[in-house]
Each structure stands twice: as structure tokens, then as C-alpha cells.
Amino acid sequence: MLVDGQLFRTVWIPKGEENIVRIIDQRGLPFRFESVDLRTVDEVAVAIRDMWVRGAGCIEATAGYGMWLAACEAAETADFSTAFNRLAEVLRRTRPTAVNLSWALDRQLEVASGALGVSDKVAAVHSVAEEIADEDVAACRSIGEHGLHLFRDISEIKGGSPVNVLTHCNAGWLAFVDHGSATAPIYRAHDAGIPLHVWVGETRPRNQGARLTAWELGKHGVPHTVITDNAGGHLMRTGQVDLVITGTDRTTYTGDVVNKIGTYLKAVAANDCNIPFYVALPSSTFDWSAQDGLAEIPIEERSGNEVSCIEGLCDGEEIMVHLLPQGSPVANPAFDVTPARLVTGLITERGICKANEESILELFPEKKLS
Ligand code: MRU
């Protein structure tokens, strides 16, 4: 996407520079737009674990490129395969919920094992890293095309007055390589001239909505308003929301959606108010082996500091302040599971389907379990 007139992806290999993966460092946003160079697998692991990069597709692509650094490191050892497998496990341990991470690692492990000599393995992993990133961009672009119809339909019913869409967390281009998942239809509809307005849920504790989604939408000129997480239900009940679109970090083949904590409450409210609740995802976010989201998908528990402190700008300086009485215990589950029955539809790169096994497998017949 364009940032102040310049095209950016969230992660890339800078041309002409040796063994570097460059990322947009999301920690500084919206106050600072900066990139950081990662040179080792350990640095990539820190960047994923500590959320310098975050969001399912961005984690996936960073892991894909990280495996290229892993291949370069493994090529310096006496036993490529042992070292490469060990480095993949370093990356796998960083974040448990987004299935895209394992998807990218397993794809790279398979590619390397299929190539013969060490230099062929390194070259194959490099080209698949670029492929993973390019595929993510293409999938998100298609999600935008399919989701555009939802906006057209609602806009027509509303006689051209703005379509009000509510989103949660950041499933924007920063969470992918480009375009985003939940935001792809929004950007596409906005660019097609459909009047729309986005309610951006701030998304405590890390405020990805307030800090990242609002920044992205602002840079693209999309009308939006930031709200507290608790305001969503009220806006829905008072007729100020036409549809909800969120992203997801992992979705079962039966349609249960794991996404940033708070998504479930939005879905419950949307269901109560008869408001369509869509989830946008590339197919790399499906977990083709998980049937029951609540029982089978690990929910990451993050540091309590994310709840007890909040970061912001004060007199031009980025500071962290404490919010709680000293000694109050905190809990910080980072994701929740929205049952398929509360999801109106899934917007994928192949089209929109219902959130159930039959409809999902109709779009992805090659995934049918025998
Ligand atoms: O913890 P994060 O910020 O990596 O969480 C992931 C998310 O950004 C959201 O859950 C998002 O809606 C889905 S990922 C595209």
C-alpha cells in the first residue's frame, strides 16, 4: 500500500543487500513509521514473538523469509537438515495461535527436503519465501474483489448513503503483506467510489485497532471513527452498523473462527441485532485438521504487562503508564473463538462461503478428508 506516496509491503528482501529480511516495525506506529533489518533466525523469532510484526499473513510471510535465513545459516553447518529443522522449531515456538506460521514453516521444510544439494535447497527456500509473500498479496487482492459485492449490495439498499462497517483489531495490510483481509473489501469499495465509513474498535490490550487500523485507513483516506471496544454493541443496537468484517488467525474447516480477543462479543451482538458478521481470510488461515475451535486450538496467553500498562505519546515522547492498583492480578488471553453459528460468511480468495464444513469444502474441494 502507499505510505506518503511510496509503495510498501510489510516484509521484503531488500534488493542488492546480502542475507537481510526487512520489516515494517509495527511497534512504532502510529507515532513512527520505521523499518528494521533482521539478519538471523533468532532476530526473526524475536520480531514475531514480541510483535514487531504481527497478524496472520505478516507472520506467515516473515516466517517464510525467516526460513531463508535459516537455510543460509544451516548451509554453514556440517548437517544442513538437522540445523534447518532445529531453526524451524525456534520459529514455530514464537506464537501458537496463528496457523499461518506453521503453514509457512512446513511448506519450507518440505521444499528443502525435495531439493538435492545444499545450494539448491537454499535457492529453493528463497524462491518459495517470495512465492509465499506474493501469494498472500494475490489472495488478499481477491478477498477484496469478492467482498466488494457485499458493499455494493448494502450501498444499493441504502440508496448510496455511507455503508457503516465495524471491524476489530488489525486485519489490515499491516497484518498481511499487502491489502489486508478484513480491510481488502473496504479499500476496494472505497476505491470504487462506494461511500463508506469504518467503526474501528480500539482492541485492548495492545490497541491494534486504534494504533494500526486507524493509521492505515487514514493514510488511504478512508473515513473512519475509533471507538472503545465496549461501544460496538451500542452502535449495533442503534442502527449505526450495516455489517461487521473481522479477520482471523485460525479457522477450523467447520467454520469456528479464532481471532483477537473480543471478536466473540462482537459476533454475539451482531447476531442479536441481525447484522451480518463476515470473516475474511486467505486459505492459509484454515486449519484443515481442527474440527472444534474451542477444544482444539491453543489460545495464546500473553504478558500481564499488556493489560496493566498502556503505551502512548506524551509531549512528543512515547511513554508507558501503569493503570492498575499495585498487586492486582491480571489475565491476558489474546484470542477467542467465535462459533460458526454466529458467522454469516467467510470471504476467501475463492469467493464467499458459509461458515460450515460443506460450504467451505465446496470452495476448497482438494481439502476434502477421505
Ligand atoms: O496478536 P495479533 O495482533 O497478531 O493478532 C492477530 C490479529 O491481528 C487479529 O486477530 C486479526 O484480526 C487477524 S490476523 C489477520
Side-chain angles (χ1 to χ4, degrees):
M1 300 286 286
L2 285 174
V3 179
D4 301 331
Q6 200 185 331
L7 263 181
F8 279 96
R9 285 184 171 194
T10 52
V11 53
W12 69 100
I13 297 175
K15 284 206 172 63
E17 295 187 51
E18 295 270 298
N19 297 15
I20 285 177
V21 173
R22 189 163 290 163
I23 56 165
I24 292 175
D25 184 353
Q26 301 189 28
R27 292 171 301 170
L29 290 170
F31 313 120
R32 280 174 292 121
F33 179 73
E34 286 173 358
S35 62
V36 166
D37 289 346
L38 308 174
R39 291 183 164 82
T40 65
V41 173
D42 284 343
E43 288 178 6
V44 174
V46 168
I48 296 175
R49 190 194 62 216
D50 295 347
M51 295 174 66
W52 307 8
V53 287
R54 43 143 299 284
C58 183
I59 291 173
E60 164 192 306
T62 307
Y65 285 123
M67 287 297 274
W68 169 60
L69 294 181
C72 298
E73 287 178 35
E76 300 295 316
T77 69
D79 180 350
F80 179 92
S81 297
T82 305
F84 193 55
N85 280 301
R86 186 185 59 75
L87 292 167
E89 293 320 302
V90 169
L91 294 176
R92 203 185 299 276
R93 281 195 296 272
T94 52
R95 296 202 67 190
T97 304
V99 75
N100 300 59
L101 172 64
S102 285
W103 178 88
L105 299 177
D106 291 339
R107 185 162 164 184
Q108 291 287 38
L109 287 171
E110 200 180 318
V111 163
S113 76
L116 285 180
V118 167
S119 60
D120 282 355
K121 287 179 192 291
V122 176
V125 168
H126 175 272
S127 101
V128 168
E130 296 289 16
E131 228 171 84
I132 288 172
D134 289 346
E135 283 172 17
D136 186 78
V137 175
C140 288
R141 198 181 295 120
S142 297
I143 287 169
E145 291 303 325
H146 295 298
L148 169 65
H149 300 291
L150 299 174
F151 282 86
R152 273 208 207 294
D153 292 350
I154 296 172
S155 181
E156 229 172 88
I157 293 166
K158 292 189 78 175
S161 62
V163 177
N164 285 302
V165 55
L166 185 144
T167 190
H168 185 63
C169 196
N170 173 260
W173 73 268
L174 290 166
F176 288 84
V177 179
D178 206 349
H179 306 294
S181 59
T183 53
I186 294 171
Y187 288 130
R188 186 67 189 82
H190 173 78
D191 291 348
I194 296 173
L196 61 85
H197 164 262
V198 188
W199 295 112
V200 180
E202 62 178 347
T203 318
R204 274 284 284 153
R206 288 184 68 102
N207 293 318
Q208 291 96 325
R211 296 185 63 152
L212 304 176
T213 306
W215 178 81
E216 273 191 25
L217 294 173
K219 286 283 170 206
H220 201 77
V222 178
H224 63 279
T225 307
V226 180
I227 52 172
T228 63
D229 293 319
N230 295 331
H234 168 73
L235 294 171
M236 291 190 218
R237 287 211 71 199
T238 51
Q240 299 180 72
V241 178
D242 298 306
L243 84 160
V244 180
I245 308 182
T246 74
T248 168
D249 299 86
R250 198 189 293 215
T251 288
T252 64
Y253 67 86
T254 55
D256 289 345
V257 167
V258 181
N259 194 46
K260 183 52 58 188
I261 195 78
T263 303
Y264 169 65
L265 287 177
K266 300 284 186 297
V268 169
N271 184 260
D272 187 53
C273 299
N274 258 322
I275 292 168
F277 183 94
Y278 284 93
V279 175
L281 71 160
S283 53
S284 53
T285 302
F286 279 112
D287 185 333
W288 300 105
S289 65
Q291 188 180 29
D292 179 335
L294 206 51
E296 295 172 46
I297 296 180
I299 299 296
E300 180 180 9
E301 182 77 27
R302 292 190 62 85
S303 160
N305 289 342
E306 293 182 352
V307 177
S308 58
C309 301
I310 199 161
E311 208 180 41
L313 204 62
C314 179
D315 295 333
E317 202 185 320
E318 285 162 50
I319 58 160
M320 184 84 104
V321 296
H322 291 266
L323 296 169
L324 308 185
Q326 220 183 10
S328 282
V330 293
N332 188 13
F335 301 91
D336 60 25
V337 183
T338 299
R341 67 187 153 76
L342 296 179
V343 179
T344 309
L346 302 172
I347 313 171
T348 78
E349 72 269 30
R350 292 199 191 163
I352 300 180
C353 65
K354 294 208 176 86
N356 63 46
E357 181 175 350
E358 195 189 347
S359 186
I360 293 169
L361 290 179
E362 220 167 275
L363 272 190
F364 297 94
E366 73 278 17
K367 300 292 181 188
K368 272 198 180 113
L369 319 165
S370 47

Coordinates of all heavy atoms in Angstrom, one line a residue, residues 26 48 51 53-59 95 98 100 167-172 175-176 180-182 203 206 208 212 246-250 258-261 263 280 282 285 300 302 334-335, ligand 1:
Q26 N 6.2 -2.6 13.5 CA 4.9 -2.1 13.9 C 4.8 -1.5 15.3 O 3.8 -0.9 15.7 CB 3.8 -3.2 13.8 CG 3.8 -3.8 12.3 CD 2.6 -4.7 12.1 OE1 1.6 -4.7 12.8 NE2 2.8 -5.6 11.2
I48 N 8.8 -11.8 15.7 CA 7.5 -12.4 15.7 C 6.9 -12.5 17.1 O 5.8 -12.1 17.4 CB 7.5 -13.8 15.0 CG1 7.9 -13.7 13.5 CG2 6.1 -14.5 15.1 CD1 8.1 -15.0 12.8
M51 N 6.1 -9.2 18.6 CA 5.1 -8.4 17.8 C 5.6 -7.2 17.1 O 4.9 -6.2 17.0 CB 3.8 -8.2 18.6 CG 3.1 -9.5 18.9 SD 1.7 -9.3 20.0 CE 0.6 -8.4 19.1
V53 N 6.4 -7.6 14.1 CA 5.4 -7.9 13.0 C 4.4 -8.7 13.7 O 4.6 -9.5 14.7 CB 6.1 -8.8 11.9 CG1 7.0 -7.9 11.0 CG2 6.8 -10.0 12.4
R54 N 3.2 -8.6 13.2 CA 2.0 -9.4 13.8 C 0.9 -9.5 12.7 O 1.0 -8.9 11.6 CB 1.5 -8.7 15.0 CG 1.4 -7.2 14.9 CD 0.3 -6.6 15.5 NE -1.0 -7.1 15.1 CZ -1.5 -6.8 13.9 NH1 -0.9 -6.0 13.0 NH2 -2.7 -7.3 13.6
G55 N -0.1 -10.3 13.1 CA -1.2 -10.5 12.1 C -0.8 -11.8 11.3 O 0.4 -12.0 10.9
A56 N -1.8 -12.6 11.0 CA -1.6 -13.9 10.4 C -0.7 -14.0 9.2 O 0.2 -14.7 9.1 CB -3.0 -14.6 10.1
G57 N -1.1 -13.2 8.2 CA -0.4 -13.2 6.9 C 1.0 -12.6 7.0 O 2.0 -13.1 6.3
C58 N 1.2 -11.6 7.8 CA 2.5 -11.0 8.0 C 3.4 -11.9 8.8 O 4.6 -12.1 8.4 CB 2.4 -9.6 8.7 SG 3.9 -8.8 8.9
I59 N 2.9 -12.6 9.8 CA 3.7 -13.6 10.5 C 4.1 -14.7 9.5 O 5.2 -15.2 9.5 CB 2.9 -14.2 11.7 CG1 2.6 -13.2 12.7 CG2 3.6 -15.5 12.2 CD1 1.7 -13.6 13.9
R95 N 4.8 -18.0 18.4 CA 3.4 -17.7 18.6 C 2.5 -18.9 18.3 O 2.6 -19.4 17.2 CB 3.0 -16.4 17.8 CG 3.7 -15.2 18.2 CD 3.0 -13.9 17.9 NE 1.8 -13.7 18.6 CZ 0.9 -12.8 18.3 NH1 1.1 -12.0 17.3 NH2 -0.2 -12.6 19.1
A98 N -1.8 -18.3 15.5 CA -2.0 -18.2 14.0 C -1.4 -19.4 13.3 O -0.2 -19.7 13.4 CB -1.3 -16.9 13.6
N100 N -1.0 -19.8 10.2 CA -0.2 -19.4 9.1 C 1.3 -19.6 9.4 O 2.1 -19.8 8.4 CB -0.4 -18.0 8.7 CG -1.9 -17.7 8.4 OD1 -2.8 -17.9 9.2 ND2 -2.1 -17.3 7.2
T167 N -15.1 -3.0 12.4 CA -14.0 -4.0 12.4 C -13.3 -4.0 13.7 O -13.5 -3.1 14.5 CB -13.0 -3.8 11.2 OG1 -12.2 -5.0 11.1 CG2 -12.1 -2.6 11.4
H168 N -12.6 -5.1 13.9 CA -11.9 -5.3 15.2 C -10.5 -5.6 15.0 O -10.1 -6.3 14.0 CB -12.6 -6.5 15.9 CG -12.2 -6.7 17.3 ND1 -12.3 -5.8 18.3 CD2 -11.6 -7.8 17.9 CE1 -11.8 -6.3 19.5 NE2 -11.3 -7.5 19.2
C169 N -9.6 -5.2 15.9 CA -8.2 -5.4 15.8 C -7.6 -4.9 14.5 O -8.1 -3.9 13.9 CB -7.9 -6.9 15.9 SG -6.1 -7.2 16.3
N170 N -6.5 -5.4 14.0 CA -6.0 -5.0 12.7 C -5.8 -6.2 11.8 O -4.9 -7.0 12.0 CB -4.6 -4.3 12.9 CG -4.0 -4.0 11.5 OD1 -3.1 -4.8 11.1 ND2 -4.5 -3.0 10.9
A171 N -6.8 -6.4 10.9 CA -6.6 -7.3 9.9 C -6.5 -6.5 8.6 O -7.1 -6.8 7.5 CB -7.8 -8.3 9.8
G172 N -5.7 -5.5 8.7 CA -5.4 -4.6 7.6 C -4.1 -5.1 6.9 O -3.6 -6.1 7.1
A175 N -1.2 -6.5 8.8 CA -1.3 -7.8 9.3 C -1.1 -8.9 8.2 O -1.1 -10.1 8.5 CB -2.7 -8.0 9.9
F176 N -0.9 -8.4 7.0 CA -0.5 -9.3 5.8 C 0.7 -8.7 5.1 O 1.5 -8.0 5.7 CB -1.8 -9.4 4.9 CG -2.9 -10.2 5.6 CD1 -3.8 -9.6 6.4 CD2 -3.0 -11.5 5.3 CE1 -4.7 -10.4 7.1 CE2 -3.9 -12.3 5.9 CZ -4.8 -11.7 6.8
G180 N -4.5 -6.5 3.2 CA -5.2 -7.0 4.4 C -6.3 -7.9 4.0 O -6.5 -8.2 2.9
S181 N -6.9 -8.5 5.1 CA -8.0 -9.4 4.8 C -9.3 -8.7 5.0 O -10.1 -8.3 4.1 CB -7.9 -10.7 5.7 OG -7.9 -10.4 7.0
A182 N -9.6 -8.3 6.3 CA -10.9 -7.6 6.6 C -10.9 -6.2 5.9 O -12.0 -5.8 5.5 CB -11.0 -7.4 8.1
T203 N -9.4 -2.2 20.5 CA -8.8 -3.5 20.7 C -7.7 -3.6 21.8 O -6.6 -3.8 21.5 CB -8.2 -4.1 19.4 OG1 -9.1 -3.9 18.3 CG2 -8.0 -5.6 19.5
R206 N -3.6 -4.4 23.3 CA -2.5 -3.7 22.6 C -2.9 -2.7 21.6 O -2.1 -2.0 20.9 CB -1.7 -4.8 21.8 CG -0.8 -5.7 22.8 CD 0.0 -6.6 22.0 NE 1.1 -6.0 21.3 CZ 2.3 -6.0 21.6 NH1 2.7 -6.5 22.8 NH2 3.2 -5.4 20.9
Q208 N -4.4 -2.6 18.7 CA -4.1 -2.7 17.2 C -5.1 -2.0 16.4 O -4.8 -1.5 15.3 CB -4.1 -4.2 16.8 CG -2.9 -5.0 17.3 CD -3.4 -5.8 18.6 OE1 -4.2 -5.3 19.3 NE2 -2.8 -7.0 18.7
L212 N -3.1 0.8 14.7 CA -2.7 0.4 13.3 C -3.8 0.5 12.3 O -3.6 1.1 11.2 CB -2.3 -1.1 13.4 CG -1.2 -1.4 14.4 CD1 -0.9 -2.9 14.5 CD2 0.1 -0.6 14.1
T246 N -14.3 -9.0 10.3 CA -13.1 -9.1 11.0 C -12.1 -10.1 10.2 O -12.6 -10.7 9.3 CB -13.3 -9.8 12.4 OG1 -13.6 -11.2 12.3 CG2 -14.4 -9.1 13.2
G247 N -10.9 -10.2 10.7 CA -10.0 -11.2 10.2 C -10.0 -12.4 11.1 O -11.0 -12.6 11.9
T248 N -9.1 -13.3 10.9 CA -9.0 -14.5 11.8 C -7.5 -15.0 11.8 O -6.8 -14.8 10.8 CB -9.9 -15.6 11.4 OG1 -9.6 -16.8 12.1 CG2 -9.9 -15.9 9.9
D249 N -7.1 -15.5 12.9 CA -5.8 -16.1 13.0 C -5.8 -17.6 12.7 O -4.8 -18.2 12.5 CB -5.2 -15.8 14.4 CG -5.1 -14.4 14.6 OD1 -6.2 -13.8 15.1 OD2 -4.1 -13.8 14.4
R250 N -7.0 -18.2 12.8 CA -7.1 -19.6 12.5 C -8.6 -19.9 12.5 O -9.4 -19.5 13.3 CB -6.5 -20.5 13.6 CG -6.2 -21.9 13.1 CD -5.7 -22.8 14.2 NE -4.4 -22.6 14.8 CZ -3.6 -23.5 15.2 NH1 -4.0 -24.8 15.1 NH2 -2.5 -23.3 15.8
V258 N -11.1 -18.3 15.2 CA -10.3 -17.9 16.3 C -9.7 -16.5 15.8 O -9.2 -16.4 14.7 CB -9.1 -18.8 16.5 CG1 -8.3 -18.3 17.7 CG2 -9.7 -20.2 16.9
N259 N -10.0 -15.5 16.6 CA -9.5 -14.2 16.3 C -9.2 -13.4 17.6 O -9.4 -13.9 18.7 CB -10.5 -13.4 15.4 CG -9.9 -12.2 14.8 OD1 -8.8 -12.2 14.2 ND2 -10.6 -11.1 14.8
K260 N -8.7 -12.2 17.4 CA -8.3 -11.4 18.5 C -9.4 -11.3 19.6 O -10.6 -11.2 19.3 CB -8.0 -10.0 18.0 CG -7.5 -9.0 19.0 CD -6.3 -9.4 19.8 CE -5.1 -9.9 19.0 NZ -4.0 -10.5 19.8
I261 N -9.0 -11.3 20.8 CA -9.9 -11.3 22.0 C -10.9 -10.2 21.8 O -10.5 -9.1 21.5 CB -9.1 -11.2 23.3 CG1 -9.9 -11.6 24.5 CG2 -8.4 -9.8 23.5 CD1 -10.1 -13.0 24.7
T263 N -13.6 -10.6 19.7 CA -14.3 -10.8 18.5 C -15.6 -11.5 18.8 O -16.7 -11.2 18.2 CB -13.5 -11.7 17.5 OG1 -12.2 -11.0 17.3 CG2 -14.2 -11.9 16.2
A280 N -12.9 -12.5 7.0 CA -12.2 -12.5 5.8 C -10.9 -13.2 6.0 O -10.2 -13.0 7.0 CB -11.9 -11.1 5.3
P282 N -7.4 -15.6 3.9 CA -6.8 -16.4 2.9 C -6.9 -17.9 3.3 O -6.9 -18.1 4.5 CB -5.4 -15.9 2.8 CG -5.1 -15.4 4.2 CD -6.4 -14.9 4.7
T285 N -5.1 -19.7 6.3 CA -5.6 -19.5 7.7 C -6.5 -20.6 8.1 O -6.9 -20.6 9.3 CB -6.2 -18.1 7.8 OG1 -5.2 -17.1 7.4 CG2 -6.6 -17.8 9.2
E300 N -3.2 -18.2 22.9 CA -2.0 -17.6 23.4 C -2.3 -16.8 24.7 O -3.2 -15.9 24.6 CB -1.3 -16.8 22.4 CG 0.0 -16.1 22.8 CD 0.6 -15.3 21.7 OE1 0.0 -15.0 20.7 OE2 1.7 -14.8 21.9
R302 N -0.8 -13.9 26.8 CA 0.4 -13.0 26.7 C 0.7 -12.4 28.1 O -0.1 -12.5 29.0 CB 0.1 -12.0 25.6 CG 0.1 -12.6 24.2 CD 0.1 -11.6 23.1 NE 1.3 -10.7 23.2 CZ 2.4 -11.0 22.6 NH1 2.6 -12.1 21.9 NH2 3.4 -10.2 22.6
A334 N -5.2 -13.8 24.5 CA -5.0 -12.9 23.4 C -6.1 -13.2 22.3 O -6.2 -12.4 21.4 CB -3.6 -13.0 22.8
F335 N -6.7 -14.3 22.3 CA -7.7 -14.7 21.2 C -8.9 -15.3 21.8 O -8.9 -15.8 23.0 CB -7.0 -15.7 20.3 CG -5.8 -15.1 19.6 CD1 -4.5 -15.3 20.2 CD2 -5.8 -14.4 18.5 CE1 -3.4 -14.8 19.6 CE2 -4.7 -13.8 17.9 CZ -3.5 -14.0 18.5
Ligands
MRU1 O1 -1.9 -10.7 18.2 P1 -2.0 -10.2 16.8 O2 -2.0 -8.7 16.7 O3 -1.0 -10.9 15.9 O4 -3.4 -10.7 16.4 C1 -3.7 -11.0 15.2 C2 -4.6 -10.1 14.6 O5 -4.2 -9.1 14.1 C3 -6.1 -10.2 14.6 O6 -6.5 -11.3 15.4 C4 -6.6 -10.2 13.2 O7 -7.9 -9.8 13.3 C5 -6.4 -11.5 12.5 S1 -4.9 -11.7 11.8 C6 -5.1 -11.1 10.2

